[in-house]
Amino acid sequence: DNKPDIIFLELPPCQTLNEYSSLIDLSNQTKIPIIVNFSRRFNTDISTLKDFISKNKFGQLIRISGAYYNGWFHNGIHFIDTIIYLLNEDIKVTKISNLNYCSYQNDKTFDVIAETSHTKIPIEIRAIDERNYQLFEFDFWFSEARIRIETMGDSIFLEKPYFNSMNEKVLEKKAIFLPNRKYTNIENAYNKLCTALELSDFADLKDFTLQNSESTMRTILDEIKLFKKNY
């Protein structure tokens, strides 16, 4: 009688694939949606960027780089999930290196070399020592533009090539044209949850469910296996 209608789960949702599978089974058996707080999925600017990328607005994707801080489970997971969400493609990790500072006892921070599973786009992720500063940003290199996601994912910039006075083809940086955001990520999440509960219709939450995060969790946990193998 006290069964919840929906569960909003903080990160990390689990520590092993067995735990992940158990949560999926529990959600399927009880018919209770488990929504995971991958906060950038609730960022309307990120959703718009996802749509632009799917329509090849910036040309062919060439490479991805970026940086995160303080823990693969705590912050690296957001980095991986954002890429998977934007590209709708799995990620394969090929190398880890350069252990860096992490304040969480059961977590590690390290550099990552990876690639998208089908299109083989190279991905380079740098681990930042948060005692210097906290950095969480992305750099997407396309054939016709460069997209930078900065300020913990809240600022998106577009760089387009042009010829300067010396006839050098350089990039000009400006804020990308996006609709004005009305709400923060967490406000968007709560609004979506409340609407789903009021209507008793969870169809619009499919991109935010635990089931939809399988690729992210497999990538994160495969990385941990690689870490244990090498360290």
Side-chain angles (χ1 to χ4, degrees):
D1 291 336
N2 295 321
K3 185 176 73 171
D5 293 315
I6 197 167
I7 295 173
F8 189 46
L9 189 64
E10 267 300 339
L11 295 174
C14 60
Q15 297 289 328
T16 68
L17 282 177
N18 286 337
E19 290 178 359
Y20 175 81
S21 297
S22 296
L23 285 173
I24 292 294
D25 290 342
L26 184 62
S27 176
N28 292 336
Q29 291 167 10
T30 61
K31 307 299 183 185
I32 299 174
I34 299 178
I35 307 304
V36 186
N37 188 21
F38 284 115
S39 57
R40 281 138 194 102
R41 292 193 179 215
F42 294 102
N43 183 323
T44 53
D45 287 351
I46 297 293
S47 299
T48 301
L49 182 59
K50 174 182 173 69
D51 182 57
F52 286 169
I53 292 173
S54 70
K55 294 176 180 177
N56 294 318
K57 187 178 180 68
F58 312 114
Q60 180 183 356
L61 182 60
I62 300 170
R63 68 182 302 112
I64 303 168
S65 61
Y68 77 105
Y69 69 98
N70 207 26
W72 184 243
F73 264 121
H74 286 82
N75 284 314
I77 192 171
H78 285 287
F79 196 101
I80 291 296
D81 186 71
T82 301
I83 295 176
I84 289 174
Y85 175 65
L86 283 172
L87 303 185
N88 195 31
E89 187 172 356
D90 294 346
I91 293 175
K92 177 181 175 59
V93 174
T94 58
K95 182 181 178 181
I96 63 172
S97 60
N98 299 329
L99 279 176
N100 212 321
Y101 173 80
C102 182
S103 66
Y104 295 103
Q105 184 176 0
N106 296 320
D107 204 352
K108 300 294 181 183
T109 308
F110 38 68
D111 292 354
V112 175
I113 300 296
E115 64 181 12
T116 54
S117 57
H118 299 298
T119 53
K120 306 301 181 184
I121 304 300
I123 303 170
E124 184 179 27
I125 309 170
R126 295 298 183 190
I128 302 300
D129 188 335
E130 73 159 343
R131 292 171 297 184
N132 297 328
Y133 43 78
Q134 296 175 339
L135 191 64
F136 187 91
E137 64 182 29
F138 302 81
D139 200 343
F140 292 84
W141 300 82
F142 295 88
S143 58
E144 299 172 15
R146 179 185 181 188
I147 301 296
R148 294 185 61 85
I149 304 176
E150 303 175 353
T151 325
M152 301 299 176
D154 286 335
S155 300
I156 302 179
F157 296 94
L158 169 68
E159 297 183 10
K160 296 281 285 185
Y162 76 101
F163 288 98
N164 63 16
S165 59
M166 298 181 65
N167 204 37
E168 298 167 325
K169 198 174 185 181
V170 296
L171 292 170
E172 179 183 20
K173 182 177 179 180
K174 57 184 177 180
I176 193 169
F177 174 75
L178 293 169
N180 292 327
R181 291 176 62 192
K182 294 182 179 180
Y183 304 107
T184 64
N185 298 347
I186 195 65
E187 288 172 338
N188 279 328
Y190 287 150
N191 289 339
K192 285 183 177 293
L193 294 176
C194 289
T195 298
L197 288 169
E198 289 171 1
L199 299 177
S200 296
D201 184 354
F202 304 124
D204 286 343
L205 297 177
K206 62 181 179 62
D207 285 342
F208 313 102
T209 61
L210 186 66
Q211 287 86 339
N212 196 264
S213 66
E214 179 178 0
S215 179
T216 296
M217 293 312 305
R218 287 192 178 278
T219 301
I220 292 297
L221 293 170
D222 283 348
E223 188 88 359
I224 296 301
K225 289 181 182 177
L226 188 60
F227 171 81
K228 291 179 178 179
K229 180 181 178 181
N230 288 276
Y231 291 91

